[in-house]
Amino acid sequence: MQQLVILGATGTIGRNTLDVASRHPQKIQVVGVSANRDDAGLFAICQEHRVGWAAMADEAAAQRLQLRLREAGLPTKVLSGAQGLCELAALPEATTVMAAVVGAAGLLPTLAAVEAHKRVLLATKEALVMSGQVFMDALRNSRAELLPIDSEHNAIFQCLPPGSHCGQTPRGVRRLILTASGGPFRTLPMEAFATVTPAQAVAHPNWTMGQKISVDSATMMNKGLELIEAARLFDLPSARIDVLLHPQSVIHSLVEYDDASFLAQIGSPDMRIPIAHAMAWPERFESGAASVDLAEVARMDFEAADLARFPCLRLARESLEAGGTAPAVLNAANEVAVEAFLHEQAAFLDIAACVESTLEAMDSAGLAQPNCIESVLAADAWARAHAAQHLGVSHA
């Protein structure tokens, strides 16, 4: 039986993971869960699933959770802070860790799971984007197993030759094609971008996601981060990874082989499909997702991504090709800008402008090469401070 820890249990991925796990009680036991500040949400999960361990990034929230558990007579042990999340990720009894903490906060606990030799189900793309080679080196030096959860990377993984593993260049593959819905602004007149509101940006046409990833989808930074992640996961250069808009979100990605044949993974836009695939791999089991009715879909459209409309995608590819600390700087500046936008402290167009400004200032910052986790975190901290200064917002 798999002993499962879910990092980010109160988020969209976390709740979908709990749903899939609950369908297979003879195969999966949830032994640990974490959240950032939502102690009420995590308490409800602890109560329903009777988990042995819980961790909260926020110290005050951890104290509130401890009190709730004590009053309910539940024996769940509570950990707190960044160290608590890392301890939970490396829990000795855990065999599998779902890494679904949003943003840079997920890096250290995901690395802790890798270093503890777990099967890591990777939904925290920022961990790979930020740390790149450091992360992949840790994976190669560990007995850990990495399986991708992002629908696009999971689709690619499903289409690769048998015996393929993350971190290894797949045999006979010419290129990877990541598909993107284009988000809510695929056809919006570009002159309207100046007045886009957070409510408009988070209203994704196909997927139900958290606020940050929804904004990233609207700017297509999400696809840019996935581009960088794909290069790390499948050990391929930028030139062999393409992005196509596919508004129906039925084909989740494609693999083109050297003989010019394509393999594609098709499924409904439901994150329980890649979650169930990774949890059951190399077998299959029921996910709870509905099947795609191809007759109802009727058509599948594809178009090239417009980089003038979506400059964040261009910036992400440039960062991948620049290497070094550029991906970490890109990610950090974007997180600051998106947070400012969601709090109405910045305009929608400020997001790409802030990221570009931060990347341009990087060369004069004297950042060290990202050959250890400390240098990655230093680049992240510098980029956050620069981005906050650019936007004129406070930086914690």
Side-chain angles (χ1 to χ4, degrees), residues 105-118:
L107 172 58
L108 292 179
T110 304
L111 268 176
V114 168
E115 291 168 350
H117 316 297
K118 308 300 184 184

Side-chain angles (χ1 to χ4, degrees), residues 321-367:
E321 293 170 352
T325 55
V329 168
L330 171 99
N331 178 73
N334 180 67
E335 286 192 20
V336 171
V338 169
E339 184 73 10
F341 169 68
L342 286 170
H343 286 87
E344 299 184 340
Q345 297 173 322
F348 182 74
L349 291 175
D350 289 336
I351 297 173
C354 175
V355 172
E356 187 152 29
S357 168
T358 307
L359 286 168
E360 288 173 348
M362 186 180 68
D363 288 342
S364 60
L367 300 175

Side-chain angles (χ1 to χ4, degrees), residues 55-355:
M56 304 217 66
D58 184 84
E59 303 275 356
Q63 293 177 7
R64 294 194 300 268
L65 176 63
Q66 183 71 74
L67 181 60
R68 289 175 184 272
L69 291 166
R70 188 181 303 121
E71 290 175 346
L74 294 176
T76 305
K77 300 177 181 66
V78 178
L79 303 168
S80 64
Q83 183 58 38
L85 265 66
C86 290
E87 289 179 32
L88 184 70
L91 202 64
E93 59 262 42
T95 60
T96 306
V97 175
M98 170 60 78
V101 175
V102 175
L107 172 58
L108 292 179
T110 304
L111 268 176
V114 168
E115 291 168 350
H117 316 297
K118 308 300 184 184
R119 170 180 277 198
V120 179
L121 314 184
L122 184 66
T124 303
K125 62 175 66 67
E126 293 87 353
L128 266 183
V129 170
M130 289 176 64
S131 60
Q133 198 60 45
V134 173
F135 187 98
M136 297 311 295
D137 286 346
L139 179 67
R140 294 185 184 101
N141 292 330
S142 167
R143 299 190 305 275
E145 186 174 45
L146 188 67
L147 294 169
I149 296 298
D150 267 346
S151 60
E152 294 79 7
H153 305 95
N154 181 267
I156 289 169
F157 186 78
Q158 293 193 48
C159 294
L160 291 179
S164 297
H165 296 279
C166 289
Q168 299 177 357
T169 305
R171 303 183 314 277
V173 169
R174 179 179 295 173
R175 63 176 175 146
L176 309 177
I177 301 175
L178 301 170
T179 57
S181 68
F185 306 140
R186 182 177 62 87
T187 60
L188 183 74
M190 290 178 62
E191 56 268 24
F193 279 17
T195 57
V196 161
T197 66
Q200 290 174 304
V202 301
H204 197 281
N206 299 340
W207 295 90
T208 300
M209 305 180 292
Q211 286 193 319
K212 195 269 181 180
I213 192 172
S214 294
V215 175
D216 282 349
S217 181
T219 64
M220 280 197 68
M221 178 61 87
N222 189 52
K223 203 56 49 181
L225 298 177
E226 289 174 4
L227 173 71
I228 299 171
E229 184 182 7
R232 308 298 189 206
L233 283 173
F234 307 115
D235 195 26
L236 288 172
S238 170
R240 292 172 62 185
I241 308 172
D242 291 333
V243 173
L244 273 180
L245 298 190
H246 169 50
Q248 289 85 5
S249 295
V250 174
I251 291 180
H252 297 294
S253 277
L254 306 94
V255 175
E256 182 183 9
Y257 282 83
D258 288 339
D259 60 4
S261 62
F262 286 79
L263 293 183
Q265 187 265 342
I266 294 176
S268 57
D270 189 324
M271 285 306 300
R272 289 178 296 178
I273 294 176
I275 290 168
H277 170 264
M279 290 173 74
W281 190 83
E283 300 176 358
R284 301 267 183 172
F285 57 39
E286 193 261 335
S287 68
S291 297
V292 171
D293 185 335
L294 292 176
E296 183 178 336
V297 173
R299 58 181 288 174
M300 297 185 194
D301 299 311
F302 301 92
E303 59 189 83
D306 181 352
L307 298 185
R309 175 179 288 271
F310 298 116
C312 284
L313 182 56
R314 168 182 59 81
L315 293 170
R317 189 179 290 278
E318 290 173 356
S319 297
L320 171 60
E321 293 170 352
T325 55
V329 168
L330 171 99
N331 178 73
N334 180 67
E335 286 192 20
V336 171
V338 169
E339 184 73 10
F341 169 68
L342 286 170
H343 286 87
E344 299 184 340
Q345 297 173 322
F348 182 74
L349 291 175
D350 289 336
I351 297 173
C354 175
V355 172

